[in-house]
Amino acid sequence: MDFPGSLPPALFRTGPLGVSNTPDLSFMCSWRDALTLPEPLAQNSQNGVSCTAAAPLWEPETPGPLPLLPPGPDPWDPGVTARDLLFRGGIPFRRKPRAVLDVTEQLSRFLWDHGDIAFAPLGKLMLENFKLEGARSHSKKKTVVSVKSLLQDLGGHQPWGCPWASLSFRQRRFSILGGPVLGTSVAGLLGELLHEELATRWERLLLDDAFTGGALAWVPGRTPQVGQLVYPAGGALDKLHFQEVSVAPGGDPQALGDPGHIQLRGPVRQVATHTVQGEALLAVRSDYHCALWKVSKQGRPAPLRVLQIGKGATGISLSPHLPGELAVCSRSGAVCLWTPQDGLRQIYKDPETLVFRDPSPWRWADFTAHPRVLTVGDRTGVKIIDTQGPPGCGLLLFRGGAEAACQKGERVLLTRYLGGCGPEPLCPTFHLILTQFSLYLVDERLPLVPLLKWNHDLPSAPLFAQLLPPPQPGHAQPLLLGGQGGHLRLLQLAGTGASAPRLAGPPQSLPSSSDSLSAFPLLEPKSQWRLQERLKAPTIGLAAALLPSASAPVLFLFQLSAAGDVFHQRLRLQADPGLASSAPVASWTPQATACCGRWLKALLEIPLPPPVWAAPNFSHRRVLGCVEPRQMEQKVPDALRAAMAEGRLLLRRDLGAVPSAEPPPAPEPGPEDELSARLEAAWEGRAAAWWESQQGGSSGPGKRPRRHKRRTQLSSTFSSLSGRLDLSDATSPPRSPDRTSPEARPQPPVTPPSQELTQEPWARGVPSERQQTLRDYMAKLPLRAAVPSSQTSSVRATPSRQQAPVPSGSQPRRRKPRMGF
């Protein structure tokens, strides 16, 4: 490999720094500070990178991507979230809040769900304190517990819906015996392992590097308009699907037939494809296996090799030089090279990171312009190694430090070799390096000095990158970046030969799958939340298909989500940048909304995944299992009983045919509301006439003016009593037997039959000084008109003042009146 004839003059200077006629640059700490771009191009102040002002733009035809395939039949579980792992309570004395893992809640869930795993080793230690089922034991020791009775108590006894509401003596003895052992061993051993697992899950939530490189690939077919999408599907992503897709410049991509699939032994993490010497090769990476297929023009894959990685694979790459050559990286720091001639051999191994210490076991390998030279990367940098040289030799290509002006905490996420993209590559020695903050373009002939740096401003980690061939001769090459959260950036790289690379036009932000929510119909809150969660699923794959055309090239983008959904969007190249601003804004077409409606209908038919953990409650299944169904007048449908036994929500269809509802009974006519009538008359302007009618009706002969009485709580309390009995003429009730003297008790007075009606139960408990007040109040109630005439006549026929003669010595002693009623 020789350098080009004419070198960029801005990249090399004659003589050492500070000695030539150029300004003194001896204070600079690296080559990067002394290098400038050759052409005086416009600078992007936001990202600090040069780009040409006028360049063609790619315009999306819809506001968001559309679903290409119907959703799979398996329910999707988003897994644990930050809310499940973090401690919800805040620590008041901390100045800066930070994430704290909630180990106690997770430990309680683990003990509740997997008690057999947590307490099985302790059972052997405490075997002498348990009496197993079927074993006869006459021991009367208090340290022996019956296992059968204990399991019945722990399994089914849940009073008031809480399993800890009541403890039996067996549970109490068990807690006393196993308290010291359970508190030390379970909390000590499981607590450490659980905290380690929670820390791993939290790091995975921040950055999930399992799908680095992408699990979606586009394999060209027999014609440029037909190809295959290779992607994983299924609830566990363990089915590799081959879907034939037709793309046309004038329409949306169409799926041709049902996809073929291959069942694998593990989830698919990465799918890579490359065409070398007319042969399309397909490499697939799982957690502990890697496989290689050869795809024919008819789309039929033929297996070539399956590799098993004991420590776990982190990345695979296909060689752009030799067909069938594959580079595999493992978590142990080893890099292996597999060729059809030599088989598998290890070419590099270093468990330590390149530049500084980093605990991440992630490794990545890719090829270079030389067939026998590879790049090996980790979180701290990228190194060039020679497969034919002695072990340990190599040269740093990129390091996270001052040479690249890296930020604090910046780490390498992905490296890509850009030399094998298309027949006319940008440059055969360029490499792309992505971090969580920036994009770097490095030339392997000039290590440690990035030729181009751009802050991509992606909200999520960029784990996918693909460089496409130029749509037309002389145009810039599109570079597609994809984040884990579904965010997309489209850049155009220009500069070939001796010119330095630069960005052609401003970078473009493309819509993500969550932007397609407006194309779906509005749903109820629960279904709407389910749709939003589905559209916000993390992206695990990105692929592109470019249809070159002399008039208007078309670019098709495909995205694969963690839920197994494939979305697509079409972009058209705007030749004149001035026409981009005057072009109509992209909107949803009727065909697009209909496509989203069909996809949503199929999504809502998929059953929801069962909850992972729920709070303990009363076991209704046990009750339904032992209680015989009672014979009722209205037979309960079988669907209703099945819904109760399964513990799911009762739906309308479970009730069967709903009987026609009878009209409600008409309200009984009540007393005339004078206030409503007065307000109605005042509103209509007839207040004077209403008042005269009231005065005229009440001033007639023999009629007293009506006075409106307010009903208090007392009137409502005794309204039922006034309906049965009218005591307006009564003054005193009959004497109570308890209040008579002992001398008078042997001679009870003879009470007439008509007087027995006044001895009601309410008069026995009411003092005599309150009975008269009660009679006066009951006499003035308007409900006395509702008393039947028979009862009124029978009561009034006997005056209450006519009492039987009572001896003088038997008169009750009169008590002092009490205040209040």
Side-chain angles (χ1 to χ4, degrees), residues 586-602:
S587 60
W588 298 110
T589 61
Q591 295 80 5
T593 55
C595 176
C596 294
R598 292 190 299 267
W599 186 86
L600 178 60
K601 182 179 179 181

Side-chain angles (χ1 to χ4, degrees), residues 376-429:
V376 178
D378 56 23
R379 297 299 183 201
T380 64
V382 182
K383 185 179 182 180
I384 300 177
I385 60 173
D386 189 356
T387 59
Q388 298 178 348
C393 67
L395 180 65
L396 278 178
L397 177 64
F398 176 84
R399 61 184 298 171
E403 290 82 1
C406 295
Q407 303 182 28
K408 183 179 179 180
E410 192 167 1
R411 298 293 185 267
V412 177
L413 301 181
L414 179 65
T415 64
R416 282 289 192 185
Y417 172 58
L418 304 180
C421 301
E424 298 179 1
L426 181 67
C427 185
T429 58

Side-chain angles (χ1 to χ4, degrees), residues 76 78 208 211 464 483-486 513 533-541 560-565:
W76 176 65
D208 190 4
F211 296 97
F464 322 109
Q484 189 176 3
S513 57
E533 290 294 319
R534 188 87 174 198
L535 295 179
K536 293 180 181 178
T539 300
I540 61 174
L560 176 65
S561 67
D565 303 324

Side-chain angles (χ1 to χ4, degrees), residues 657-818:
V658 181
S660 58
E662 299 181 357
E668 299 180 358
E672 183 180 359
D673 191 356
E674 297 181 3
L675 179 61
S676 301
R678 182 178 181 181
L679 291 177
E680 183 178 359
W683 183 262
E684 296 177 356
R686 300 182 291 102
W690 179 86
W691 178 255
E692 292 178 358
S693 63
Q694 294 294 324
Q695 293 295 332
S698 61
S699 60
K703 295 184 180 180
R704 297 175 59 187
R706 293 187 300 177
R707 298 176 60 186
H708 180 71
K709 294 287 186 178
R710 292 186 179 181
R711 291 192 180 185
T712 59
Q713 185 178 3
L714 184 61
S715 66
S716 63
T717 305
F718 295 97
S719 61
S720 60
L721 179 62
S722 64
R724 301 194 309 268
L725 185 61
D726 187 9
L727 300 178
S728 60
D729 300 334
T731 57
S732 62
R735 295 187 303 273
S736 175
D738 298 338
R739 300 178 183 177
T740 59
S741 60
E743 294 81 358
R745 288 183 181 178
Q747 300 177 2
V750 180
T751 306
S754 61
Q755 193 175 354
E756 294 179 358
L757 296 176
T758 63
Q759 296 180 359
E760 292 293 332
W762 64 270
R764 298 178 183 178
V766 180
S768 58
E769 62 270 12
R770 298 185 182 181
Q771 293 180 4
Q772 182 61 32
T773 308
L774 180 60
R775 292 189 187 94
D776 297 341
Y777 181 80
M778 300 295 294
K780 295 181 180 181
L781 288 178
L783 295 177
R784 59 192 301 269
V787 180
S789 59
S790 60
Q791 297 183 7
T792 307
S793 59
S794 62
V795 172
R796 292 184 177 180
T798 305
S800 61
R801 296 182 180 272
Q802 295 179 4
Q803 299 180 1
V806 181
S808 61
S810 63
Q811 292 294 334
R813 183 178 59 181
R814 186 175 183 83
R815 297 181 180 178
K816 295 182 179 181
R818 300 177 182 178

Side-chain angles (χ1 to χ4, degrees), residues 143-401:
T143 58
V144 178
V145 181
S146 175
V147 176
K148 181 178 180 180
S149 303
L150 181 62
L151 292 179
Q152 291 178 356
D153 294 343
L154 296 176
H157 186 59
Q158 296 183 5
W160 304 295
C162 179
W164 302 283
S166 176
L167 295 176
S168 64
F169 67 95
R170 286 183 293 266
Q171 297 176 356
R172 199 171 191 83
R173 265 193 288 168
F174 175 73
S175 62
I176 294 175
L177 291 176
V181 182
L182 299 179
T184 56
S185 60
V186 175
L189 297 178
L190 292 181
E192 295 179 0
L193 298 177
L194 185 60
H195 187 272
E196 181 181 355
E197 178 65 20
L198 290 180
T200 305
R201 291 290 186 93
W202 176 247
E203 293 178 358
R204 193 178 303 172
L205 282 179
L206 297 178
L207 175 61
D208 190 4
D209 57 1
F211 296 97
T212 302
L216 179 65
W218 171 264
V219 180
R222 53 185 180 274
T223 61
Q225 287 77 20
V226 178
Q228 276 191 342
L229 281 176
V230 184
Y231 60 96
L237 300 178
D238 56 350
K239 294 181 180 179
L240 190 65
H241 280 202
F242 296 83
Q243 176 65 58
E244 190 174 9
V245 179
S246 172
V247 291
D252 294 334
Q254 300 293 331
L256 304 179
D258 297 333
H261 69 276
I262 299 176
Q263 183 68 41
L264 304 179
R265 294 184 178 180
V268 176
R269 303 300 186 185
Q270 182 186 356
V271 178
T273 180
H274 212 290
T275 302
V276 183
Q277 299 178 5
E279 295 183 0
L281 299 175
L282 179 68
V284 175
R285 171 177 63 88
S286 182
D287 289 335
Y288 297 96
H289 295 84
C290 295
L292 184 65
W293 283 274
K294 179 181 179 181
V295 184
S296 62
K297 292 293 184 180
Q298 289 74 21
R300 298 177 181 177
L304 297 180
R305 182 69 176 180
V306 177
L307 305 176
Q308 184 176 1
I309 313 298
K311 298 296 182 179
T314 59
I316 55 174
S317 298
L318 287 171
S319 172
H321 308 289
L322 301 177
E325 194 171 30
L326 179 68
V328 183
C329 296
S330 68
R331 294 185 177 272
S332 62
V335 178
C336 299
L337 187 65
W338 183 84
T339 57
Q341 297 80 15
D342 302 335
L344 185 66
R345 63 189 182 97
Q346 180 176 312
I347 59 175
Y348 177 82
K349 184 175 183 180
D350 188 4
E352 302 294 335
T353 51
L354 297 175
V355 181
F356 50 86
R357 292 185 179 273
D358 189 88
S360 176
W362 178 82
R363 299 293 186 272
W364 192 267
D366 207 342
F367 291 85
T368 64
H370 196 282
R372 297 294 89 186
V373 178
L374 275 72
T375 59
V376 178
D378 56 23
R379 297 299 183 201
T380 64
V382 182
K383 185 179 182 180
I384 300 177
I385 60 173
D386 189 356
T387 59
Q388 298 178 348
C393 67
L395 180 65
L396 278 178
L397 177 64
F398 176 84
R399 61 184 298 171

